[in-house]
Every structure is written in structure tokens, then in C-alpha cells.
Amino acid sequence: MSYALRIGLKYLRSKKRSTVSVITVIAVTGVALGVAALLAVLSITSGFQDEFRNKVLGVNAHVLVLKYGLDFDEYRDVISLAMEMPEVAGAGPFVINEMMLAKGDRLSGILVKGVDPEAMPTVLDLPSQMTAGSLEGLRREGARPPLRPDQLAGEEEEGQDLDRFLQDLTSEDDGDKDVPDAGMSDEEMERLRQQIAESGGRDPLFADAGTDAQDEEAAEWTPIWDGGEEEVAEAEDEIEPLPEVEVPTPEEVEAILDELDTSELPTDEQESDIFAEEAEQAEPQVPSEELPGIVVGATLAKNLGIEVGDRVRVISPLAGLDTSLWAPEARTPRSREFRVTGIFEAGFQEYDTRLVYVDLYEAQSFFDQGDTVTGVEIRLHDLEKAPQIADRLERELGGGPFHTMDWEELNHNLFTALEIQKIMLSLVIATIIVVAAFNVIATLIMVVLEKKREIAILKAMGAKDSSILGIFMVQGSVIGLLGTLIGLVLGGGVVWYLAAYEFPLDPKVYLIDHLPVRTSVFEFLVTILIAIVICMSATLIPSWWAARLLPADGVRYE
């Protein structure tokens, strides 16, 4: 052991002045508390980051493929292209929109997400999040993608026009029509259909009639009234005058209103019961087994009193404001009944309170968008490769209306806020170590003042400045190492206790129900490095001052 190290350790145990030893203990304690607090803060903030990431990725995929507009109908090609990449674990389409969920007289705003029950387990963690019921029954037997309203209306109109014409043609009850062979055979009916199609929809029985322009010209010159002025006058005399209606005076109206007994008006509860009875009478009850399935969040189910097997109603309050290309006729809100097949708990208050899952086909039919989707969700084997896979997929799709988003970009604000919070808290807690470092500086300065005579004798005996510097650097290093070691033990115990106890939190404020804690070797090393650097930096000034001390200055007043 070198004499610098031996002397430095001896100076830590000052026998002449107990004040130095006390300050040394205070410095070690301050460093230990700072290290413990910093380790706890890093573990908790990292736990929040991991918890939020796991919760967000549990209901969202690693990469999203979206398309500008409402005509994303080539999603099957996008899924096939994505599944050809070896980094992709699964892909599936989704439709999402804001709705309202009603159970009896309770109502709540929700996000309805339509998913493919077959592809969804490879993309989301929903099967492992189920707390009641199951995903069976989410898709009804024989379900298929719906048509857009314009396509459906075109098909129905075409069939109705042809059927209406044939029905009028074969009707035997209409005596005013001069129609030959009112009862037609199937072969004659089929031949008539072909003639209608070949003539472009013009009635073949009147094919010899003039053109449309000739018909309009004839109609223009046809007189409306063939009689003269005398016949018009006689017709006017035969018209009976309307009966006179007595209009009540304002005084009479006020007297009638005063006589009304407003105490007999129904209450709000009575009005709700009346409306509910009218709704039940107006809409025939469909058996629950025939209703489409829906999966709701645990908090939402608790708030609305929903259990597995209950009937709920999904309402689209914005349907009356829909001005899309496919639903120009929408004027009133739409609603549809669903049967609750399961309840899930993602552990994230935002999702457990608002998110519900339905079958993709049911969502498409309810939104009147035809066989189109909002986007395609993709899950990767390694989520850290999400930005690279998103960029490559967008290039292969050719850009244009298609664009991709990875999970970091999709939740950029959330994770950026968490990262900034982690850095700022670490800086604030690190000030505890800085305060402890001032105790280290005070300790070394007092030791230097106390040992000025010894320093002067050592330098007079030929000790170098670097050796004197090393003596006091040993003291600062020992204080930093000892305080860091005690702080690691103390902080590790606190972190272990918080992880085992799962300190409860208010999910309405923190979005999760317990304090998340994550420990890692990297964070332990970062804490040790910060503490050592601060303590070593604090020893430089007094050690350099001691090394610069002249022998004559040390023995001048002796």
C-alpha cells in the first residue's frame, strides 16, 4: 500500500477534531440517501414507461398502414404483402369510430373497434386480457363483408324495377289495362326479360310508339281544358266554399292555458318508461343468440352494470351529420343491439373505460362504408425494428395515399412526456448527491486546514504535488464509494419493497392501478457512475489547494 493511500485513510479518522469525523459521516449519509433516491426514481419512471408501452401495445399493433380517404378496400393485398416479410408476426384489418353504448338508462361514450376474430389474436393481446366470457360468438355464422349503400341501392333498384314491371304485366285484377295473355308461362316470362334487356329497358309491348322527343312534343300541344268559358264558369259555381273557422282571441287563449293542470305532467322517469315501452313495441325483440357479439372493457362494464350475456345498444349520434359519399341520405342517429360475449381488462384506464370490440363485418355494416377498413395492424417479432419496417412497407406500397405509422410515432406525445419526466426527475434527485458533495468539500477543506503542518513536512521531505493530491483524492473517493455502496443497498431494498407491495394508485389520475417498478443493471450502473463522478469532482478543488501549499506556509505560524 502506497503512503498516499495509507495517509489518506488515516486522515478520515481524525482524532484531534471530532468535527471532521462527524462531517465525514454526514457526507457519507448524504451520498447514500441521494443514490437511494436516484435509484428509486429511475426504477419507477422506467416502470411507468414499460407499463404504458405494454398497455398501449396490448391494444395497438407495432405498425399501422393507413390510407387517406374512405376507400381502403384493398386491405387484403396489403396484408398479403406484409405477411411476406420475415419480421412480421401477424397482420389484420380494423375499423374504428366513436359511438355511444347504452344499457338501460345508462349511457357512455365509447370507441368501437371492428376486428377480424381470426387474425386479431396474432396482432393484439386481447385473448390474454379476457376476465369474463370469451371471444366466441363475436362473429355470427354466415357473416360476410357488406356492400356500400350505393351498390346495395343499385342492385335493389334494378331488381325492383324489373319485378314491378313484370308484376304489373301479369296482374289479372287491373281491368283498365289492355294486356294480352295476363297469365304467362315461365318460358314466356324469361323471353320477355331478355327483350327488356335488349331494348334498353323500353317496354317491348309499345315498341312501335314514337320516340321520347315525339311523345314530349305531343304532350306539349295537348290542351288541358277542351271546354269554353261558359263551362269554366259552371265548374266554378259548383265548387263549395270552405267553412269559416273562428280564431280565438288572445284573451281566450290565455284563459285556456290557465285552465291546464301542469301538475299532471309526467316526470322524467315516467317519460323514460313511456319511451322505452314505445321502443319495445316499435322494434320486435330479436333473440339474444341471433345478435352480434361485443366485448367491453372491465371499467366500462362496471360503470354501466354490464355482465356477460346482457343486451346492449350501440348508438351512432353522428350519423345524422354524415355527409360522406356513401351515406348522403343519413339524417337521424342509428342504433343496433349487441350481445355481450366477453369482458376484458387491459390494465389501462383509458382503454378499459372507452374501448369495445365488435366483428369487422358488423362494424362495416353499421358504419355504412362497405367492405372498407380504417387501416391494417401489423405485429412484429421485434418491436424495436418498427420504424425500419414501417418505412420499408410504405416504399413497397408506393406511397401516394398510403402511409405507415410505428408505435413510437403513434404515441409520440405520451412517450416523449415520460422520457422528459424521467430526465427532469433524475436531475432533481441528483441534486441530493450534489448537496452531499458539498459536505465532502467541507470535510476535505477542514482536513487540509488541520493538516497544514503535516503537508508542509511531507513536501519538505520531498513529497511531490501529485502525492499530496492523491492523499486527499483518496479521502473523497472513499466517501463517495462508501456512500454509493450504502445507497445501493438502501435503494435496492426500497425498490424491491415497492415491486412486491404494488403500491396502489388512482387509475382515474394515473391511468394504471398500481405503482410500476422496473429494475435493470444499466440503471444501477448509471446511478453508481453519477455518484462517483460528483464525489470525485468535489474532491478536486480542496485536493488541488493542498497540493499547491508551500512548506513555508505550513510552518509559518508554528
Side-chain angles (χ1 to χ4, degrees):
M1 180 184 295
S2 65
Y3 74 91
L5 178 60
R6 186 167 57 252
I7 294 174
L9 293 177
K10 182 180 178 181
Y11 281 175
L12 285 173
R13 304 186 302 273
S14 177
K15 295 181 180 179
K16 292 184 178 180
R17 294 185 180 179
S18 59
T19 305
V20 176
S21 299
V22 172
I23 294 178
T24 302
V25 173
I26 293 174
V28 171
T29 304
V31 173
L33 292 176
V35 169
L38 182 59
L39 182 61
V41 167
L42 288 176
S43 300
I44 292 174
T45 52
S46 298
F48 269 103
Q49 284 183 323
D50 287 354
E51 191 74 13
F52 283 165
R53 185 180 66 179
N54 294 335
K55 300 304 182 184
V56 167
L57 296 181
V59 295
N60 293 287
H62 299 162
V63 177
L64 295 181
V65 180
L66 306 173
K67 183 180 180 182
Y68 298 106
L70 300 174
D71 57 343
F72 195 172
D73 53 2
E74 57 271 67
Y75 61 90
R76 293 180 179 85
D77 298 334
V78 175
I79 294 176
S80 301
L81 179 62
M83 292 303 296
E84 293 177 357
M85 299 181 178
E87 297 86 357
V88 175
F94 73 96
V95 176
I96 193 167
N97 209 338
E98 293 186 3
M99 296 284 171
M100 301 189 74
L101 186 69
K103 169 69 185 304
D105 56 349
R106 299 182 180 181
L107 197 66
S108 177
I110 59 172
L111 281 176
V112 178
K113 187 173 184 179
V115 294
D116 187 350
E118 298 178 357
M120 179 266 299
T122 63
V123 181
L124 307 178
D125 295 337
L126 182 60
S128 61
Q129 296 171 349
M130 299 297 296
T131 59
S134 66
L135 297 176
E136 297 181 2
L138 197 62
R139 171 166 291 180
R140 294 185 293 181
E141 295 183 2
R144 62 185 182 88
L147 296 175
R148 291 197 304 265
D150 62 332
Q151 297 174 340
L152 187 62
E155 290 188 359
E156 292 180 353
E157 219 176 283
E158 182 179 352
Q160 290 176 359
D161 290 343
L162 186 57
D163 293 340
R164 189 182 302 111
F165 171 74
L166 293 175
Q167 183 179 2
D168 293 342
L169 186 63
T170 57
S171 176
E172 298 180 357
D173 298 334
D174 195 350
D176 298 335
K177 293 183 180 180
D178 187 11
V179 180
D181 287 336
M184 301 178 65
S185 63
D186 295 340
E187 296 179 357
E188 294 174 341
M189 185 74 71
E190 184 63 27
R191 187 164 52 251
L192 183 57
R193 287 177 178 270
Q194 294 178 358
Q195 294 177 358
I196 294 174
E198 293 174 356
S199 62
R202 189 171 178 83
D203 192 345
L205 298 179
F206 304 97
D208 296 335
T211 61
D212 295 338
Q214 294 173 346
D215 294 342
E216 294 176 0
E217 183 179 358
E220 182 180 356
W221 290 99
T222 302
I224 299 176
W225 181 262
D226 293 337
E229 297 180 357
E230 297 180 358
E231 287 81 357
V232 173
E234 293 178 359
E236 291 178 352
D237 295 337
E238 294 178 359
I239 297 176
E240 297 181 359
L242 294 175
E244 295 183 359
V245 178
E246 296 182 0
V247 179
T249 62
E251 292 77 8
E252 294 174 345
V253 172
E254 186 175 357
I256 295 173
L257 294 176
D258 293 338
E259 294 177 359
L260 294 177
D261 187 6
T262 57
S263 62
E264 297 181 359
L265 294 176
T267 62
D268 294 340
E269 296 181 356
Q270 292 174 343
E271 288 183 354
S272 301
D273 296 339
I274 294 172
F275 292 151
E277 293 178 0
E278 292 179 353
E280 292 179 357
Q281 295 176 359
E283 299 182 5
Q285 287 288 331
V286 179
S288 298
E289 294 76 11
E290 299 180 5
L291 292 175
I294 187 173
V295 178
V296 302
T299 306
L300 178 63
K302 181 180 179 181
N303 295 338
L304 299 184
I306 296 175
E307 296 180 357
V308 176
D310 289 350
R311 300 164 69 107
V312 295
R313 182 172 293 275
V314 176
I315 305 170
S316 174
L318 300 179
L321 303 177
D322 190 0
T323 57
S324 64
L325 178 63
W326 313 126
E329 74 285 354
R331 290 295 180 271
T332 58
R334 296 188 303 272
S335 65
R336 180 173 298 179
E337 281 194 326
F338 289 83
R339 177 174 58 90
V340 179
T341 61
I343 298 174
F344 74 94
E345 185 174 7
F348 201 53
Q349 186 73 6
E350 183 70 15
Y351 298 136
D352 293 340
T353 306
R354 297 194 61 202
L355 188 61
V356 302
Y357 292 93
V358 299
D359 179 32
L360 177 68
Y361 298 158
E362 298 294 339
Q364 289 175 334
S365 176
F366 193 28
F367 301 157
D368 280 343
Q369 295 178 359
D371 189 18
T372 61
V373 298
T374 304
V376 174
E377 296 178 307
I378 301 173
R379 193 180 189 92
L380 306 178
H381 295 290
D382 185 5
L383 62 89
E384 300 299 335
K385 297 182 180 179
Q388 295 82 2
I389 299 301
D391 294 339
R392 192 172 80 184
L393 189 59
E394 185 170 351
R395 288 195 303 268
E396 294 188 8
L397 290 173
F402 295 99
H403 63 285
T404 58
M405 299 180 65
D406 60 85
W407 65 273
E408 291 181 342
E409 183 181 1
L410 183 64
N411 304 278
H412 177 74
N413 294 336
L414 173 62
F415 291 106
T416 300
L418 291 175
E419 188 65 28
I420 294 175
Q421 182 186 40
K422 179 179 180 179
I423 295 173
M424 296 306 298
L425 284 176
S426 300
L427 292 177
V428 171
I429 299 302
T431 56
I432 298 177
I433 305 178
V434 174
V435 172
F438 279 99
N439 291 328
V440 175
I441 296 174
T443 301
L444 294 180
I445 290 176
M446 294 183 67
V447 170
V448 170
L449 293 175
E450 182 184 1
K451 304 298 182 181
K452 286 177 64 175
R453 183 171 175 271
E454 287 83 350
I455 294 171
I457 294 173
L458 288 173
K459 297 196 73 173
M461 294 174 62
K464 297 180 180 180
D465 291 348
S466 59
S467 299
I468 303 300
L469 180 66
I471 291 174
F472 294 97
M473 289 290 292
V474 167
Q475 295 186 70
S477 300
V478 170
I479 293 174
L481 290 174
L482 186 60
T484 301
L485 180 61
I486 297 174
L488 288 176
V489 175
L490 181 62
V494 172
V495 170
W496 176 83
Y497 173 77
L498 292 176
Y501 177 67
E502 291 189 354
F503 189 81
L505 297 176
D506 186 0
K508 295 182 180 179
V509 178
Y510 299 98
L511 302 178
I512 53 179
D513 56 2
H514 68 279
L515 185 68
V517 178
R518 188 204 70 177
T519 58
S520 66
V521 177
F522 176 76
E523 290 173 355
F524 273 78
L525 295 177
V526 169
T527 304
I528 294 173
L529 180 62
I530 292 175
I532 295 299
V533 168
I534 292 177
C535 292
M536 293 296 290
S537 301
T539 61
L540 288 176
I541 296 177
S543 299
W544 179 80
W545 178 50
R548 298 283 296 175
L549 187 66
L550 297 175
D553 295 335
V555 296
R556 176 174 299 172
Y557 301 104
E558 295 295 333

